[in-house]
Amino acid sequence: MNLFAFNLPLIALIPFLGAPLAAYAAKFSRQASAWVAALVTLLSLALLGPIIHLPFDNQTLIQSWSWLPSLGLDFAFRLDGLALLFTLLILLIGLLVILYARYYLSAKDSMGRFFAYLLMFMGSMLGIVLSENLIQLVVFWELTSLTSFLLISYWQHQQDARDGARMALAITGAGGLAMLAGVLLIGHIVGSFNLTEVLAAGDQIRQHDWYLPALVLILLGVFTKSAQFPFHFWLPHAMAAPTPVSAYLHSATMVKAGIFMLARLFPALSGTEAWGWLVGGAGMITMVLGAYTALFKHDLKGLLAYSTISHLGLITLLFGFSTQLAAVAAIFHIINHATFKASLFMVAGIIDHECGTRDMRQVNGLLKYMPHTAVLAMIAASAMAGVPLLNGFLSKEMFFEQAVTATDGNSFMWAIPVLVTIGAIFSVAYSLRFIHDVFFNGEPVGLTKTPHEPPRFMKIPVDILVMLCLGVGIAPMILVAPILSVAVAASLQTTPPEFSLAIWHGLNLPLIMSFIAMGIGAVVYFNRHKLFRWHDETLPRIDARTLFNMFLHGLLVFAGKVSRLFDQGSLQNAVSWVLVTAFIALVFGFSQFDSPLLGDRSLLSVDLLTLAMASVLIMASIITAYMHKRRLVALIIVGVIGLIVSLGFVKFSAPDLALTQLSVEVVTIVLLLLALFFLPQHTPQERSRKRLTRDLILSVTAGVSVMMLAMAVLSRDYAPISDFFIENSKPGGGGTNVVNVILVDFRGFDTLGEIVVLALAGLGIFALLQNLRLPAPMRDIDGREWNHDPHPPIMQTLTRLLFPLMLLVAVFIFLRGHNLPGGGFIAGLIAAVALISQYLANGIDWTNARIKTDMHVVIGLGLMAAVITGIVAMVLSYPFLTSAFTYVKWPIVGKFEIASAMAFDLGVFLVVIGATVLILVELGKLSHASHQVFEQERS
């Protein structure tokens, strides 16, 4: 097997696999988690190494496996110049952040949890930039929102960390849903979700009627993720995260995801007036607003956060110009911004780490205390300001040139270079403030400890990044031109335009704009106190967080009112709304038909057995309703109803359903018996005639409506889809049991989703019931004390004898399920009943001492077996969960079938056992604990 035939998915998925290892390694030492995280990152880089040359050879590598081919969904990855650039940024800066975080985090911080979150976030970002399929890209997109939530809220004890994480998740998560809708529209327009087809269909997309809605929806995802106006306010509040997280999010990941989408979809969506106004307008406002606001922030990370917003606006504005050279400048500034912004955030973290504060009104004159850090910070801040001989200067010159070009001789458009220059002025001013206020400007004020240089290895990441700022600024053609060229070619999907990275272009308008920005920016900074007073006294204080919280509060209040309207804490009321709504929909549906309600298909004759079963079913239902006040009796009669239903399945030749119904009925009865112990032993008397009348009308109406709907369907001839499954069950799935083949083959993806839900339900109920203590009644409804012998010897002996037989029956039902009635679900329920019977008859302690298997592990193994079955098919170049079968002949045994679906069914079997036993045993423990309390009080 050639490892490099599927190394692209490995590059993205290895960080996810490494995350639990990093968390586990913390048990050995704090350094172990950092080492694991670093090795995982290096492993992804190593897998990238053998194919890194392909983009430079004008080749695009696509590795694809069918997932749901009928829906156009593939598990597909793409490596071109743009993907390579972002992959290198994510991995290399991620590696530096890991080294930095090792020394930044305190002894109180959980290293394992931090690096596990960081690796999951890294994997999510790699998934975005390497995805070929847009739906797959959106999945990774939303994963970045979830994992960034974990990173931002890492310090869970801090209120601002929790609030910032919640705000980031709400805004970026909602933007992700909008992007999903936009991607679906693009897939509808193009007929494919794969980037290869989408990028080649730019003209088709732009000319389509759905272009504008698709553009707006995708830009909502981009603007929310990349903190563009008016969604920019979440990013400064995300500064509550540890500084290594901020350095990573702001430089190479999270906020760059939206910028990546602008670059990736540039050939498909750009070039229209709508694109120019929406993208360029948002970028311009964000750039100027962020630069202006950054100057007035006293917190170092706050200043850098708003500077990030401003620079993201700059990049967005460049893409909004819709020219090829503007795209070159945008991608170049992505590289430069990543280097100087990561280094500046790390410097801010060093200052906070060594001074105990980030307030620039306190951290002054640090040059003499931290000279090495000061030099690094001054170089990086100068690059941010666009000082010559640094990388930021080159990309800003290109930016100014494109701003001038965008005027196109139009006097009105000269507002663009004017506003761009204003943004640059404030950029210079806040960069000067970062340098002068922190490293000069007197002595430190009110610090709790004397500042000093950080550990040597904590400075190494900053050293490397600052050297890159210098190197790219001095020798750009050597260090950055090759990767820039291939990234631009991939973004434009054509040969990149000729561009120059020369340091000197002569005395021209862009150079004059740079000098104006630096000169006036210095004047603004040195007159900052007057500007601060004017800002504080003149401009109103608008806190976006307050507005967001007001909106969120209003939304929750509205949701509460709606919930109370339909819920009112009554199950009867909730069911009533459901029945009324269903009845209205039914009447509306019937009113649309011109044909009679009932068809002309001849009905089956009524035989004595069917009449008897129907009569028992009706009588049992009436008795249940009449005796509902005595819940144990009602529960027993409900069991009779389930038995009759299973007999009905037998009559109509559905033995699988009958077995399932019986198994579910047994488990449900045990579950309800355990739950009834904690519920009132009788139902309160209903005395309201109005309520009784309402319930009667609703129940009769619902029953008659369902009967009429069933008759309307069954009295007509129709072509059922069952014919397809019957015809293809044996040749396509290798089994004669059509129901089982449907579950594990034809509809295997549905079954996988169902067992995941079952597993989550089991784990959720376990978590809710664990260590719970509930008051329980001391006596039954007639005042008698509970039996003091909870484990009768006869029941103990009988269940112990039957236990191996029940397990044997479960195995038999499982093995025959592909060709005869049975299968993993039924067998799992039978095995679960066998295990539960031991707990009921012999007690929890006795059974646990003999059956030591952890049901959490059983659930995990079941899910793993089901998923691996699907993955193996993909590795063999078949769609996910494609099954295969063959026949083998053994001596004595003879000829028999082996099907890969058996492995999937084994997963179903294990999940059903694990979830069922986990739930019922935890309920049993709750009952057991309550009995112990009763015995203690009695004694």
Side-chain angles (χ1 to χ4, degrees):
M1 182 171 57
N2 183 10
L3 179 64
F4 299 113
F6 49 88
N7 54 337
L8 286 182
L10 286 179
I11 291 170
L13 298 179
I14 278 176
F16 289 104
L17 300 176
L21 294 179
Y24 181 75
K27 293 184 177 181
F28 301 99
S29 70
R30 288 172 52 80
Q31 292 84 356
S33 293
W35 275 107
V36 169
L39 290 173
V40 167
T41 308
L42 288 171
L43 181 56
S44 289
L45 279 168
L47 289 170
L48 182 65
I51 55 174
I52 199 171
H53 66 92
L54 294 177
F56 297 99
D57 296 336
N58 295 321
Q59 297 182 46
T60 297
L61 175 63
I62 295 177
Q63 295 175 347
S64 178
W65 296 265
S66 293
W67 180 262
L68 295 175
S70 59
L71 297 179
L73 298 183
D74 298 324
F75 191 61
F77 292 84
R78 173 192 188 96
L79 182 69
D80 56 14
L82 187 65
L84 176 62
L85 169 63
F86 274 87
T87 301
L88 289 173
L89 287 176
I90 293 164
L91 291 174
L92 293 175
I93 294 184
L95 197 59
L96 296 177
V97 167
I98 290 169
L99 175 60
Y100 176 83
R102 154 66 183 86
Y103 294 94
Y104 177 86
L105 296 175
S106 69
K108 298 179 181 178
D109 297 323
S110 170
M111 280 279 197
R113 184 161 59 89
F114 177 84
F115 286 113
Y117 293 167
L118 190 70
L119 287 175
M120 289 191 293
F121 180 74
M122 180 187 293
S124 303
M125 279 301 306
L126 290 170
I128 289 177
V129 302
L130 291 173
S131 286
E132 157 74 0
N133 187 276
L134 284 174
I135 298 294
Q136 175 186 303
L137 186 151
V138 173
V139 172
F140 283 112
W141 183 278
E142 290 295 64
L143 280 175
T144 60
S145 296
L146 293 172
T147 50
S148 65
F149 170 83
L150 297 174
L151 283 171
I152 296 169
S153 62
Y154 173 75
W155 284 327
Q156 301 166 352
H157 59 283
Q158 297 180 3
Q159 182 67 40
D160 57 344
R162 298 195 299 271
D163 291 344
R166 191 161 47 240
M167 183 185 297
L169 179 63
I171 294 170
T172 60
L177 294 176
M179 173 163 284
L180 174 61
V183 164
L184 292 175
L185 288 179
I186 287 181
H188 171 73
I189 295 169
V190 179
S192 173
F193 293 109
N194 289 334
L195 279 170
T196 301
E197 286 77 23
V198 170
L199 297 179
D203 292 335
Q204 179 185 350
I205 295 172
R206 287 185 287 268
Q207 293 168 10
H208 201 278
D209 293 338
W210 287 104
Y211 166 71
L212 186 58
L215 175 65
V216 170
L217 289 168
I218 286 178
L219 290 181
L220 281 173
V222 168
F223 291 167
T224 51
K225 186 73 80 175
S226 288
Q228 296 298 290
F229 179 86
F231 308 106
H232 61 286
F233 57 88
W234 70 264
L235 187 58
H237 296 292
M239 291 303 96
T243 300
V245 174
S246 302
Y248 200 37
L249 263 63
H250 284 246
S251 61
T253 58
M254 190 66 170
V255 293
K256 292 289 175 64
I259 299 299
F260 169 81
M261 282 300 290
L262 290 178
R264 176 57 82 198
L265 297 178
F266 187 78
L269 299 178
S270 66
T272 64
E273 187 175 351
W275 170 276
W277 280 104
L278 291 174
V279 178
M284 179 68 81
I285 296 172
T286 305
M287 182 194 68
V288 176
L289 180 63
Y292 174 81
T293 309
L295 180 61
F296 300 95
K297 294 298 171 182
H298 301 299
D299 181 7
L300 276 174
K301 285 178 68 175
L303 182 150
L304 292 176
Y306 277 100
S307 76
T308 297
I309 292 172
S310 178
H311 282 271
L312 293 172
L314 183 156
I315 299 169
T316 302
L317 175 57
L318 280 168
F319 280 116
F321 289 153
S322 296
T323 65
Q324 292 187 347
L325 284 174
V328 174
I331 294 173
F332 188 26
H333 199 68
I334 289 171
I335 301 171
N336 294 334
H337 178 262
T339 54
F340 64 67
K341 189 52 62 71
S343 58
L344 285 171
F345 265 107
M346 290 180 183
V347 167
I350 288 172
I351 293 170
D352 187 19
H353 192 268
E354 306 305 331
C355 298
T357 181
R358 300 189 305 261
D359 193 330
M360 286 184 284
R361 293 167 295 187
Q362 293 180 266
V363 287
N364 309 130
L366 296 185
L367 177 62
K368 68 178 181 179
Y369 300 99
M370 309 166 68
H372 187 121
T373 303
V375 172
L376 296 176
M378 285 187 272
I379 296 173
S382 299
M384 181 169 64
V387 173
L389 297 183
L390 297 171
N391 58 354
F393 170 75
L394 297 176
S395 52
K396 272 202 173 181
E397 285 292 288
M398 297 175 72
F399 172 49
F400 290 151
E401 181 182 356
Q402 293 306 306
V404 172
T405 303
T407 59
D408 197 24
N410 189 327
S411 57
F412 172 75
M413 299 301 287
W414 275 102
I416 293 176
V418 171
L419 290 173
V420 162
T421 305
I422 292 173
I425 289 170
F426 284 108
S427 177
V428 171
Y430 66 65
S431 300
L432 273 173
R433 188 180 182 204
F434 188 99
I435 295 171
H436 185 264
D437 273 20
V438 175
F439 299 105
F440 301 95
N441 201 29
E443 288 290 323
V445 178
L447 298 185
T448 56
K449 53 184 178 180
T450 302
H452 56 84
E453 290 286 3
R456 181 165 59 92
F457 284 99
M458 193 175 182
K459 291 182 291 189
I460 286 178
V462 191
D463 292 335
I464 295 171
L465 291 166
V466 169
M467 288 172 62
L468 285 173
C469 292
L470 279 166
V472 172
I474 295 171
M477 294 303 296
I478 299 174
L479 293 178
V480 80
I483 187 67
L484 178 59
S485 296
V486 297
V488 169
S491 177
L492 299 178
Q493 288 295 292
T494 186
T495 303
E498 292 186 8
F499 58 89
S500 172
L501 299 180
I503 301 172
W504 175 255
H505 292 278
L507 185 62
N508 53 20
L509 189 54
L511 185 61
I512 294 172
M513 291 168 66
S514 291
F515 288 147
I516 291 174
M518 285 188 282
I520 300 180
V523 172
V524 168
Y525 170 71
F526 287 109
N527 289 275
R528 64 191 181 282
H529 298 297
K530 295 179 181 178
L531 188 60
F532 285 1
R533 284 195 298 271
W534 175 85
H535 175 82
D536 294 335
E537 295 171 1
T538 306
L539 295 183
R541 300 274 74 81
I542 300 176
D543 188 353
R545 179 172 60 178
T546 303
L547 297 177
F548 173 80
N549 289 335
M550 288 174 58
F551 170 77
L552 205 60
H553 176 73
L555 192 64
L556 292 174
V557 169
F558 174 74
K561 290 181 179 179
V562 173
S563 298
R564 285 190 294 273
L565 174 65
F566 292 101
D567 185 5
Q568 297 180 356
S570 168
L571 180 61
Q572 289 173 311
N573 187 74
V575 172
S576 300
W577 279 108
V578 173
L579 294 176
V580 169
T581 304
F583 179 74
I584 293 173
L586 190 66
V587 171
F588 176 78
F590 279 135
S591 66
Q592 304 303 306
F593 288 103
D594 297 329
S595 56
L597 179 62
L598 301 179
D600 53 4
R601 184 181 182 184
S602 59
L603 304 179
L604 296 175
S605 58
V606 178
D607 58 89
L608 184 61
L609 178 61
T610 304
L611 185 62
M613 289 172 56
S615 300
V616 172
L617 189 63
I618 293 171
M619 290 301 298
S621 301
I622 293 173
I623 294 172
T624 301
Y626 179 75
M627 302 192 67
H628 71 280
K629 290 189 289 293
R630 300 189 67 87
R631 293 185 171 178
L632 182 58
V633 176
L635 180 60
I636 295 172
I637 300 172
V638 167
V640 173
I641 295 174
L643 177 62
I644 298 299
V645 171
S646 63
L647 291 175
F649 288 138
V650 172
K651 176 176 172 54
F652 292 104
S653 303
D656 272 278
L657 295 179
L659 284 171
T660 303
Q661 175 68 30
L662 281 174
S663 305
V664 170
E665 200 66 41
V666 172
V667 172
T668 305
I669 292 297
V670 173
L671 173 66
L672 292 175
L673 282 172
L674 290 171
L676 280 179
F677 180 71
F678 299 98
L679 296 175
Q681 299 183 48
H682 59 86
T683 304
Q685 184 71 31
E686 298 284 358
R687 300 185 180 277
S688 171
R689 184 175 297 274
K690 179 179 177 182
R691 185 169 183 173
L692 291 173
T693 304
R694 182 203 68 177
D695 293 346
L696 179 63
I697 293 173
L698 280 174
S699 58
V700 172
T701 303
V704 172
S705 299
V706 171
M707 182 198 72
M708 297 304 295
L709 177 61
M711 289 296 295
V713 173
L714 297 177
S715 61
R716 287 176 166 81
D717 290 317
Y718 56 91
I721 62 173
S722 57
D723 292 341
F724 168 82
F725 296 119
I726 293 171
E727 293 172 3
N728 291 278
S729 176
K730 181 70 173 177
T736 56
N737 182 1
V738 180
V739 174
N740 184 262
V741 172
I742 290 173
L743 290 176
V744 300
D745 192 333
F746 293 123
R747 302 299 297 271
F749 201 81
D750 291 349
T751 305
L752 178 61
E754 289 163 5
I755 63 173
V756 169
V757 171
L758 179 61
L760 291 175
L763 296 173
I765 293 172
F766 173 82
L768 289 172
L769 296 180
Q770 195 175 26
N771 300 322
L772 183 65
R773 293 292 181 268
L774 291 177
M778 303 292 183
R779 293 173 173 80
D780 67 5
I781 193 172
D782 297 320
R784 293 170 297 206
E785 289 187 0
W786 298 118
N787 186 5
H788 304 306
D789 183 16
H791 309 302
I794 295 178
M795 186 176 179
Q796 288 179 329
T797 304
L798 193 60
T799 55
R800 293 177 191 178
L801 289 173
L802 289 176
F803 181 64
L805 180 60
M806 294 175 72
L807 290 182
L808 188 62
V809 170
V811 173
F812 173 72
I813 292 293
F814 171 75
L815 292 175
R816 76 196 294 256
H818 207 53
N819 292 289
L820 294 170
F825 186 80
I826 301 169
L829 288 173
I830 294 173
V833 170
L835 291 169
I836 291 301
S837 65
Q838 298 303 305
Y839 282 98
L840 290 174
N842 301 291
I844 293 174
D845 295 333
W846 185 93
T847 309
N848 280 340
R850 288 155 180 81
I851 304 175
K852 299 180 180 181
T853 305
D854 186 352
M855 289 302 150
H856 294 84
V857 176
V858 173
I859 293 174
L861 290 175
L863 291 176
M864 187 182 300
V867 172
I868 288 176
T869 305
I871 292 176
V872 168
M874 294 181 67
V875 171
L876 297 175
S877 301
Y878 290 97
F880 183 70
L881 282 177
T882 300
S883 65
F885 62 92
T886 188
Y887 295 91
V888 296
K889 189 174 183 179
W890 283 0
I892 301 175
V893 177
K895 183 180 179 181
F896 65 96
E897 179 192 3
I898 296 179
S900 63
M902 291 286 288
F904 182 82
D905 215 14
L906 177 63
V908 176
F909 174 76
L910 293 175
V911 170
V912 170
I913 292 176
T916 305
V917 174
L918 194 66
I919 294 170
L920 293 180
V921 169
E922 203 60 31
L923 267 174
K925 288 180 180 178
L926 194 62
S927 174
H928 180 66
S930 300
H931 277 296
Q932 286 181 331
V933 172
F934 169 65
E935 291 296 333
Q936 291 173 359
E937 293 181 357
R938 186 173 177 272
S939 60

